[in-house]
Structure formats: C-alpha cells, structure tokens
Amino acid sequence: MEKIQIVHTNDLHSHFENFPRVKRFIEQSRKNSTADDFYLFDLGDAMDRAHPLTEATDGQANIEWMNPLHYDAATIGNNEGLGNSHEILEHLYDHANFPVILDNLYEKNSTELAKFAQPYKIIKTSQATTIGVIGLTAPYILTYPLLDWDIKLVQDMLPKALKQVKNCDVIVLLSHLGVSMDRLIASKHSEIDVIIGSHSHHLFPKGEVDNNVLLAAAGKYGQHIGTINLQLDDHKNIVAKSAFTVKTEDLPTLANDEAWIRGQFDKGEKLLDQKQVAKLPETLSNDYKAEHSIIGEALTAVQDFTKSDVAVLSSGLFLDDLPAGIVTEKNLHDVMPHAIHVMKTTMTGDNVWRLIMEMEKNRLFLRNHMQKGMGFRGKIFGELVYRGIEIDKKRNVYINGKELQKNREYTLALLDHYLFVPYFPSIEIVGQNEIMYPKFLRSVFGDYLSKKYPI
C-alpha cells in the first residue's frame, strides 16, 4: 500500500499575522508525515495589496515567504491576476522555486499561455505513481482583457487540461474557481480524484465527496490549513481518500511571532513612506462633511481622470485623514488600501435617474453597512456623496445645475466596486462601463495630488 499526503493553503491574502503558525505547521507536517510522499500546494490569492509589504514589493515578499516552504506547485487567484499590472504579474514568479500551474490565462490575442505558467505538472512518487496536477483560475472575462490577458472559460479548457494528464494514476485540480464550480466539475468529471478549492473562501473541515471526487478547502486568510491523505493499492488505485483542516489559532505561538508580524508591516510602511507624492497645504479630513475633505478632492480627481460629467464616491473608502505636509505612498495606502479601480460609466438620462433613485433608496442602509469583499478593504460602505448631481423633493434630478434630459447621454465617474456590489443594478444592466485598469483608486488620487500640490 502507498500513502500520499498533501498539505494546502489558499486565499492567504497577505494575512501575515497567521504566517508564523502556518509555516511551522507545514514544516512539522512534512517532518512528521508517515506517508511515503508529501506534497504542498497553494491555491491562489496568496497576496493582497492591502498589506503594506505586499504593496511595496509588488508581491515579492509573499514569494520570499513561500520559497523556503518548498511548495510543489501553486495556481493564481484574482488578487494575483487582477491586482497586478500585466508586467508585474509576468514577473511575479521570477524568483519562485515552485511552478505555477494554470491552463486558462493566455497572452491577449494569441495562443500562448502566460509566460510565468505551465499548463500541468506530472509528479512521480517514490513508488512510481504519477500524479497529474492541473490548475484553473476564475475567468473574469470582462476585466482580464483590460490588463491585456485572454482568460479562457472553464468549460473550454478543462477537457483539454484533463486530456494532458489522463494517463496519470492520480489527478488533482488546483481550483481558484469557487465552491459552486468545484461541485459542478465534480458532478461531471469523476476521473478527477481531488479538487482542492479556493476563491469563495469556503471551508470543508472534513472534506466533501461528490461523485467520488474528494473536495478540500481551507477557508481564508490562513485561518485554517488543509491536509489530504490518499491511500493506493499495489495497482495504483486509490482505495481511501480523506481531508481535514486545522484551525490556525489553536496552534501554539512563539515569543518572537508578534515581533516578526509587526516587522513585516513596519518594513512595508517604511518602504512606502520613502516614496513622496505631494505636499498638502492643510489636512484633508476623512469626514465627508469637512470643509477640506478627502472625498471632495477625490471626487475632483476621478472626475478629471475619466473626463466625466459627474462623479459619485462613498465615504467609507477613506479610512483616515491625510495630514498636512508631505504625503507619501504610505499615507495613501493607509487611507485607501482597497483593490478598487476608477470606472467611467455612460448612460442615458432616464437610466441616470433610475441609478440615482437606487442610490437614494439604499442610502440609509449603506450609511453604516459593514461592507466586505469585491475589492473593498475598509469597514463600512458609508455615505454616498455626489459631485454635479442634485435631487429635489419631487425626485427631479439635476446635472451640473440643469434638469436631467432623459434622452441625452451622460458620463459618470464611479468605481468598479459599485459594479460588483448588488446595490446599484442599473450600472451593470444599462451602463457602458469602462474600468480604468491597472491603477487602483489610491494611485489615481495620488497622481491628482502630485499635480495639484507638487512637492
């Protein structure tokens, strides 16, 4: 009988506070494993620019942390794929000592797979069992092309990927597709032995078996770590497979953990603080009602950047004040850590009216709503603030002081976040939306400040 053990991480999102215990668990699992062979995989979204060290190093700090653990393979998530420019992603893994397995991200307008990736990997165990590893990431078909990537659909690429490893004794899918897609794949492809899942941050404490396919997943942020055990007979058939997760907070800490965690944060902040952006004559407050507010300047910045008629932002985007004096990239990152992009939306006046009514309807709910995900890294959604939009008591809308014309086209400076959240459906349904990749909101704002308040 042959025993194979797999440990996996997913959706770490640069939560360095869990990294010391995750690292020790991996090292101890490898050392104490009674299996014939031990393997380590990561399922993507290992990096998140919300952490200053990831932001300052373009994710290289994350790769440096992964390398000593000797991952056997990783795939990418949307934070790697969409949180980086094309060039940065192309070079993210230049110094990685592990392969990136990914079969659905291609150079734009070509048949060439992304240069940093390989479509599959065949691992030969000590007992000559072959493990075919394939990888797929969530196909954001609207946004990857904006970064000059061609993202392929799962239904188009999975059969091809499976064909490449069909003669392997064991087939493992590294999936950054989400739990619903994992279950759908399992229901149709019993030839896959294990799907290790991620993206939707789902947790399978003891795995899940669908159509004889073992599904494993370890939640998010390194709060859990997953382990998979496979047992094969002499004919290389899997006779037993199981999965479990360990809760990271139940693992012991060491005396120097806190210092290391703080050190990673401080290192990132120090690097960002070295990059000066502008010199403010007075402090910009994160209170949207203040005379000198961040949101007031930010509305001007996004409106100018998109050349739009009007602009809308929400106050929860701005987590702190911007102090008077020299503003650095650290200040901008502290205030706006989000993975959110500026977007220009074009729609006719009647649809602008409907959108504004959706915003007004949801205003009280969103004011203190605890917002999560879709690129947002703050706490509450906050107050919607308009630039160039007014509404009277009869629900008439005015654009830059003039009554809205139903058949005229208007342009609005918005955020892609407002497209992804479910509160403003008109943006997705009728908006002609141009997401302004690759710069995040903070970079657009920083460019504006550097021009208006040069050092």
Short mmCIF file of all heavy atoms in Angstrom, two decimals, residues 111 115 160:
data_model
loop_
_atom_site.label_atom_id
_atom_site.label_comp_id
_atom_site.label_asym_id
_atom_site.label_seq_id
_atom_site.Cartn_x
_atom_site.Cartn_y
_atom_site.Cartn_z
N THR A 111 -2.24 32.41 -28.91
CA THR A 111 -2.45 31.06 -28.39
C THR A 111 -1.37 30.70 -27.37
O THR A 111 -1.20 29.54 -27.03
CB THR A 111 -2.45 30.04 -29.54
OG1 THR A 111 -1.18 30.14 -30.24
CG2 THR A 111 -3.59 30.30 -30.51
N LYS A 115 3.43 33.52 -19.75
CA LYS A 115 4.83 33.07 -19.71
C LYS A 115 5.24 32.52 -18.35
O LYS A 115 6.16 31.69 -18.27
CB LYS A 115 5.76 34.22 -20.10
CG LYS A 115 5.63 34.67 -21.56
CD LYS A 115 6.58 35.81 -21.87
CE LYS A 115 6.49 36.25 -23.34
NZ LYS A 115 5.16 36.84 -23.64
N LYS A 160 -9.38 19.93 -22.16
CA LYS A 160 -8.01 19.93 -22.67
C LYS A 160 -7.02 19.62 -21.56
O LYS A 160 -6.08 18.81 -21.75
CB LYS A 160 -7.70 21.30 -23.28
CG LYS A 160 -6.24 21.56 -23.61
CD LYS A 160 -6.07 22.94 -24.22
CE LYS A 160 -4.61 23.34 -24.32
NZ LYS A 160 -4.02 23.68 -23.01
#
